[in-house]
Amino acid sequence: MAYNINKDFKYTQLKQPNTVADFSDTKQYQFSGQVGMGYDIMMSKPSNLHQVSLSPFISYQPYFGQQPRSIESMTIQTVRIGMALKFGKAHQAVVREAAPLPMVVTPRAHEFNLAVRAPKTAAAREVSETLPLLNAVFFDAASTSIPSRYILLTNSEATAFNEMQLQQPKSTNTPGRSAGQLNVYHNILNVVGDRMRLNPGAVIVLNGASAAGPADGKAMASSVKDYLVNVFGIDGSRIAVQGSFKPHPPSEKIGGTKDLDLLSAENRRVDIESKSTALLAEVGGGMMKPVQYTNSQADPLDSHVVLTVDSAKQLLKSWSVDVTSTSGTTQHYGPYYADMVSIPGNTILGNSPTGDYTVTMTGETTNGLAVKKENTVHLTRQDETVLKGLKYSIMFSFDKATTIASYKKFLTDKVAPLITDGANVLIHGHTDVIGEPVYNQKLSESRAQETQKVIEAALAAKGISNVKFDTSGFGADTGHSPFDNSLPEERFYNRTVIIDIIK
């Protein structure tokens, strides 16, 4: 690249006046280039600090960029052939020791643990249960009508309806408990109508959320309002309706790409909001005031030997157990694929009233290594004694373990005072099926452990320490989930910690 810094000239001629002027049409900038090749013939030894090379070369410079004035028409192209002599000097090379190779560390094999829990209590319990009531109605896709699974009454049935009707015993087994609780929840609109009828000053806001837009969400909310007004006779001025794209809080994980259809179904709902304590509970992020009823329940886990092998589902192909009595009789169970399984205690005992057993777990890791662990268990045949107990459930927002903060006062003031000295407290955490199993397992454990911490602190403040806790998380294990996961409300109810108090 060239830059013109001066374009004047001076012309002198005999017997003529001198001329001083500027060349016209002079280019301010010029661009050109050349291309060529050469070869360095080294004339010195490679070890010498001073080096000399002889370099023959050939180069070509094209015509463009050769005219300093834009009006010139003559062009020049240049071809050069020559020989260059090059001189150079180097610095003394510094010899460095080669860096040591990194130490190869063989990954340590996972140390599996076999936990064995004996049956805890009598199988049958008469339980007084407090059921949380979800304050939302979920709508089917592309529909603004209340789904048929919700129990809708006629005018005459609504006149006779009383919330106390829902508090009758529903089932004698744990799976049936889920059906009983869903039956209570699916009466949510009837419960709201009954409570508003008994509390004339209570008002509610129905917030309909739909990805199709606020108008669609408002239409869903209007369907709920029409039912309460036309069937229960609630004054329409006590019910406000509004629409939005998303509920608060929504079921979503920022950047998530899995289970979007399940999350979308959960976000298509009408939330029932109110400041009335006659309608809503004092805790739980706006949950409806719970329903309480007494029920006889038989939890299989109470009479089972529960076996837990950490990370079995993730790291083992399968595992089995051999249960050997002191007399040498061995019973084989398996293969298993989950982290936690259970075996009825009476099945192991057979005709024996009691016994001590060695439990040997054998398994194979996903990379073909054999695993063997042992533990012991003492069993006593379960009697038919019916123990009285209390059951509470607390619910969590999607993907959260911190909702426990909103339940702290409830656990401290309501639940902890019911725990007497010497009681057994079972705390089980659960999640829905959305997300990775390992993550859900940790989430359920975190929820259960945080619950225990709050209760323990409340008991310590009252000087009660002789309480046995059995705290665990089941993740999304469908074998232990309180509910199925096919409906949005079932997934909501599975985000829970269940507290059993056995006096």
Side-chain angles (χ1 to χ4, degrees):
M1 183 183 73
Y3 174 71
N4 182 278
I5 58 174
N6 192 359
K7 56 183 178 180
D8 62 347
F9 69 90
K10 182 177 181 181
Y11 179 68
T12 303
Q13 190 173 309
L14 293 175
K15 300 180 181 181
Q16 295 290 336
N18 294 337
T19 300
V20 179
D22 288 339
F23 284 109
S24 64
D25 302 301
T26 303
K27 297 177 181 178
Q28 191 72 26
Y29 297 94
Q30 281 185 281
F31 299 90
S32 186
Q34 65 178 356
V35 61
M37 69 174 77
Y39 183 77
D40 290 338
I41 303 172
M42 304 307 299
M43 308 297 292
S44 308
K45 294 181 179 180
S47 59
N48 291 350
L49 293 182
H50 295 83
Q51 293 287 317
V52 178
S53 70
L54 192 63
S55 304
F57 68 89
I58 180 171
S59 67
Y60 166 70
Q61 186 172 8
Y63 65 88
F64 68 85
Q66 302 294 325
Q67 304 87 8
R69 301 176 69 199
S70 59
I71 60 174
E72 293 179 358
S73 59
M74 184 177 68
T75 62
I76 300 174
Q77 301 184 60
T78 305
V79 176
R80 294 192 300 158
I81 300 175
M83 187 78 70
L85 190 63
K86 300 180 182 179
F87 301 90
K89 181 180 179 181
H91 295 285
Q92 183 67 45
V94 178
V95 179
R96 298 182 180 181
E97 294 184 1
L101 294 175
M103 182 179 296
V104 178
V105 179
T106 302
R108 184 179 178 182
H110 179 76
E111 186 66 26
F112 291 93
N113 292 312
L114 170 64
V116 182
R117 192 203 72 188
K120 302 183 300 298
T121 64
R125 295 205 304 270
E126 186 178 278
V127 178
S128 177
E129 181 167 5
T130 299
L131 303 176
L133 203 55
L134 186 63
N135 62 316
V137 178
F138 298 91
F139 281 70
D140 296 333
S143 174
T144 58
S145 300
I146 301 172
S148 59
R149 64 181 180 272
Y150 290 92
I151 299 173
L152 304 179
L153 307 178
T154 64
N155 293 80
S156 59
E157 290 172 335
T159 301
F161 178 83
N162 188 304
E163 181 181 325
M164 298 294 291
Q165 299 169 3
L166 303 176
Q167 301 182 18
Q168 303 302 317
K170 291 293 186 300
S171 176
T172 58
N173 56 66
T174 299
R177 168 185 171 268
S178 304
Q181 187 164 347
L182 276 183
N183 177 71
V184 173
Y185 163 71
H186 285 144
N187 272 279
I188 178 65
L189 297 181
N190 303 322
V191 172
V192 172
D194 185 41
R195 291 178 181 178
M196 293 189 73
R197 192 167 51 189
L198 295 174
N199 299 275
V203 297
I204 62 173
V205 176
L206 301 175
N207 182 25
S210 169
D216 193 52
K218 191 171 183 179
M220 291 155 49
S222 297
S223 296
V224 175
K225 177 178 179 177
D226 291 342
Y227 178 76
L228 295 174
V229 171
N230 298 329
V231 176
F232 277 85
I234 307 301
D235 188 342
S237 62
R238 299 169 58 191
I239 305 173
V241 296
Q242 58 188 31
S244 60
F245 281 101
K246 289 184 179 180
H248 181 76
S251 295
E252 64 180 5
K253 195 168 186 177
I254 304 302
T257 58
K258 295 183 178 180
D259 301 312
L260 298 182
D261 54 337
L262 299 181
L263 297 176
S264 176
E266 293 185 10
N267 287 332
R268 185 174 176 80
R269 69 180 194 247
V270 172
D271 288 327
I272 304 170
E273 302 168 357
S274 177
K275 295 182 179 180
S276 171
T277 55
L279 301 181
L280 299 189
E282 298 177 1
V283 296
M287 293 288 295
M288 294 293 294
K289 190 174 181 180
V291 174
Q292 183 174 351
Y293 67 78
T294 300
N295 203 355
S296 295
Q297 295 178 2
D299 190 342
L301 287 182
D302 286 350
S303 60
H304 282 210
V305 175
V306 178
L307 307 172
T308 305
V309 178
D310 66 302
S311 305
K313 186 174 182 179
Q314 181 183 6
L315 301 178
L316 294 181
K317 291 181 180 178
S318 66
W319 58 282
S320 303
V321 291
D322 290 310
V323 182
T324 306
S325 66
T326 52
S327 63
T329 302
T330 299
Q331 303 174 56
H332 182 80
Y333 299 93
Y336 300 119
Y337 305 92
D339 292 347
M340 180 182 293
V341 298
S342 61
I343 305 171
N346 289 344
T347 299
I348 297 175
L349 281 168
N351 297 324
S352 302
T354 185
D356 292 297
Y357 298 86
T358 299
V359 181
T360 305
M361 182 278 286
T362 56
E364 182 182 358
T365 65
T366 53
N367 56 5
L369 298 178
V371 177
K372 184 177 181 179
K373 293 292 177 181
E374 284 191 357
N375 209 326
T376 59
V377 64
H378 175 78
L379 299 180
T380 300
R381 182 171 296 280
Q382 296 291 320
D383 56 29
E384 299 301 325
T385 303
V386 177
L387 297 181
K388 293 185 179 294
L390 302 171
K391 185 186 292 287
Y392 290 89
S393 301
I394 58 178
M395 295 175 62
F396 292 79
S397 298
F398 176 74
D399 195 35
K400 302 294 183 184
T402 55
T403 314
I404 192 67
S406 63
Y407 283 104
K408 186 174 183 179
K409 180 176 175 60
F410 173 71
L411 294 172
T412 301
D413 297 345
K414 302 291 185 182
V415 177
L418 300 173
I419 302 174
T420 57
D421 191 65
N424 290 331
V425 179
L426 283 62
I427 302 176
H428 294 163
H430 303 271
T431 71
D432 57 36
V433 293
I434 298 174
E436 298 298 327
V438 174
Y439 177 83
N440 284 336
Q441 178 64 33
K442 293 180 179 179
L443 181 61
S444 69
E445 292 171 356
S446 175
R447 290 170 172 174
Q449 291 163 1
E450 289 299 316
T451 301
Q452 178 179 339
K453 289 178 183 178
V454 174
I455 294 176
E456 279 185 320
L459 294 176
K462 297 180 180 295
I464 299 175
S465 59
N466 185 27
V467 174
K468 182 180 179 181
F469 285 91
D470 184 343
T471 301
S472 57
F474 290 100
D477 185 356
T478 55
H480 297 96
S481 293
F483 300 89
D484 291 332
N485 287 277
S486 57
L487 297 175
E489 54 266 33
E490 291 175 326
R491 295 192 291 275
F492 264 75
Y493 273 115
N494 276 337
R495 298 165 193 156
T496 184
V497 167
I498 300 174
I499 307 160
D500 276 295
I501 303 170
I502 305 170
K503 297 184 179 181

